[in-house]
Amino acid sequence: MLEGVYLNNSNIEWIEKLDCLTDLHVHLDGSLSLESVRHLCDMQNIETGDEIELSEKLSVSSDCKNLNEYLEKFEFPLQLLQTREAVKYSVCQLVKEQEEQGVIYSEIRFAPQLHTRKGLSQQEIVEAACEGLDESRKYWKSYSCHNLILCCMRSDDNKDANMETVRLAALYAEMGRGVVAADLAGAEGLYATDTFADVFRDAVQRGVPFTIHAGEAAGAESVECALNFQAVRIGHGVRSTENPLIMQELADRETALELCPTSNLNTKIYETIENYPIQQLMNKGIKVTVNTDNMMVSNTTEARELALVADTFNMISVDGDTSTNDTVLVLANGEAGNEKITENSKAYDTFYKALSYVLTELSKMIAGDGEGCTCLFEVKVINAKERQQARTLAKSIVTSSLT
């Protein structure tokens, strides 16, 4: 846990009881639980050491200096994810843990090219991940849905590998195996976004939606480049605040940001949560979502991220209107924090009204009725008169439209 980051117990407690959270930005290799890592080590006859030693290999400390140091925590889990069995197990287990934490929709991302050290092809890795996703369905609720995003990687000598990742994203999306988009991840500060134009030109030609990590280790110019590539979402994107014109473009295009507060604190983009620009972004009309990034590396959960934001910025809702604008965060409000979650409580109403909007948009996009993107962008508070319809949608729309 980060030093100096505290949560209001009432918020975290009631958010953890809600089975309607979403996580659009979560990395497989950065989210292996201790249980999963021990199992993977047993599978491969690798000594794990005690819990403290294992945690130090997997999670950053409060004195993590930057993104490059943060990325070092991925090396050990990647060593464990080099077989079909390991990838299949890890995807299934992560979904199981998400469901236990109340996450009913997620997009789990990973880079197939990082899992080929023992001779497997990218396609064999993607197939194993899809098999793990299929197996995880036994843990889904009737209204759950989980998908996969395939990451290209930032480097100076892997263009062919990135092109193969895009090809596989197109292939497995067409096959309906749960792959919904591509991504670009890795050391943004070392490898500029604009050097990957050919990769994402190919993605556009193949009709593959994509998000890009941008505006994290690099500035607003990286976000601008991702927008020029036609990214449908931006991973992180917080440094877009450095350029008012880029913020306006994000708002005008309705391109959502995948915010990951704790991760950005870990990598020292911001020293304290009070400096986090979520309200600044929302006040400019930019669509935002709150996500975990790496559950194990950052020692976090979706509920914890939402509670951190709710506690810090006192996000409240009054008569269906938020205190900033009409965009909320699959997050009810601080006022409801002391209420029990019952069907008649304010918290239940707010969350399920929001959730119905989430699922409606997902169904449109995956069915091809949206603007070509398979991913959720925003959640709006729906008028109180639509409350019952929202509850019905929340429990039915995924099974009827997404599976």
Side-chain angles (χ1 to χ4, degrees), residues 99-393:
E99 287 284 343
E100 291 170 348
Q101 295 168 10
V103 175
I104 65 164
Y105 182 80
S106 69
E107 292 171 0
I108 298 170
R109 60 187 73 192
F110 66 100
Q113 64 191 267
L114 297 183
H115 302 269
T116 60
R117 297 176 187 176
K118 291 187 176 180
L120 292 177
S121 67
Q122 286 198 50
Q123 184 158 357
E124 287 174 311
I125 294 298
V126 175
E127 181 64 30
C130 291
E131 290 173 3
L133 191 65
D134 290 341
E135 186 171 321
S136 76
R137 289 176 178 271
K138 62 188 177 185
Y139 302 116
W140 297 15
K141 300 173 183 66
S142 61
Y143 46 90
S144 293
C145 184
H146 300 272
N147 287 315
L148 302 171
I149 293 177
L150 306 188
C151 297
C152 301
M153 291 302 298
R154 296 177 185 270
S155 184
D156 54 11
D157 60 355
N158 67 332
K159 181 177 178 180
D160 289 346
N162 283 338
M163 290 293 197
E164 173 67 358
T165 300
V166 170
R167 184 188 74 82
L168 291 171
L171 174 64
Y172 278 80
E174 184 177 358
M175 292 166 61
R177 297 295 304 280
V179 174
V180 294
D183 182 22
L184 177 64
E188 182 190 10
L190 299 178
Y191 304 101
T193 301
D194 62 10
T195 61
F196 299 91
D198 289 347
V199 174
F200 290 100
R201 188 178 299 115
D202 186 51
V204 170
Q205 291 174 350
R206 292 179 181 273
V208 176
F210 55 89
T211 177
I212 290 180
H213 284 67
E216 182 185 15
E221 71 283 354
S222 184
V223 177
E224 181 180 25
C225 186
L227 290 172
N228 290 339
F229 286 172
Q230 301 182 40
V232 295
R233 286 200 321 240
I234 303 294
H236 300 285
V238 286
R239 291 183 60 185
S240 59
T241 57
E242 296 172 5
N243 187 327
L245 294 178
I246 300 304
M247 286 199 290
Q248 187 60 55
E249 186 170 1
L250 286 168
D252 291 346
R253 292 195 185 195
E254 299 188 335
T255 303
L257 302 184
E258 305 158 358
L259 301 184
C260 307
T262 297
S263 173
N264 293 161
L265 294 174
N266 288 148
T267 57
K268 299 300 186 290
I269 298 176
Y270 302 98
E271 290 296 327
T272 68
I273 186 62
E274 288 77 14
N275 295 329
Y276 200 69
I278 187 169
Q279 286 191 315
Q280 180 183 356
L281 293 164
M282 292 174 68
N283 288 338
K284 292 295 184 180
I286 297 170
K287 296 174 180 179
V288 299
T289 63
V290 174
N291 311 278
T292 60
D293 200 6
N294 299 287
M295 292 164 61
M296 189 67 214
V297 177
S298 289
N299 189 24
T300 194
T301 65
E302 182 61 25
R304 176 180 167 77
E305 294 301 303
L306 293 171
L308 180 61
V309 171
D311 290 349
T312 304
F313 300 103
N314 191 30
M315 299 230 172
I316 63 173
S317 177
V318 180
D319 297 328
D321 295 321
T322 65
S323 57
T324 50
N325 58 19
D326 65 353
T327 304
V328 295
L329 314 164
V330 193
L331 169 65
N333 56 77
E335 285 186 339
N338 295 320
E339 293 189 48
K340 293 182 178 179
I341 303 305
T342 67
E343 289 205 6
N344 295 317
S345 72
K346 186 174 182 180
Y348 180 99
D349 289 341
T350 307
F351 262 87
Y352 276 88
K353 284 186 289 184
L355 179 62
S356 73
Y357 185 86
V358 172
L359 301 181
T360 301
E361 291 303 301
L362 284 169
S363 68
K364 289 179 183 177
M365 292 170 186
I366 292 179
D369 297 326
E371 298 180 355
C373 177
T374 56
C375 309
L376 165 71
F377 289 163
E378 66 172 333
V379 181
K380 291 182 180 178
V381 175
I382 297 174
N383 293 333
K385 66 182 180 180
E386 299 173 357
R387 184 173 305 156
Q388 187 56 47
Q389 179 186 11
R391 291 174 179 168
T392 302
L393 282 169

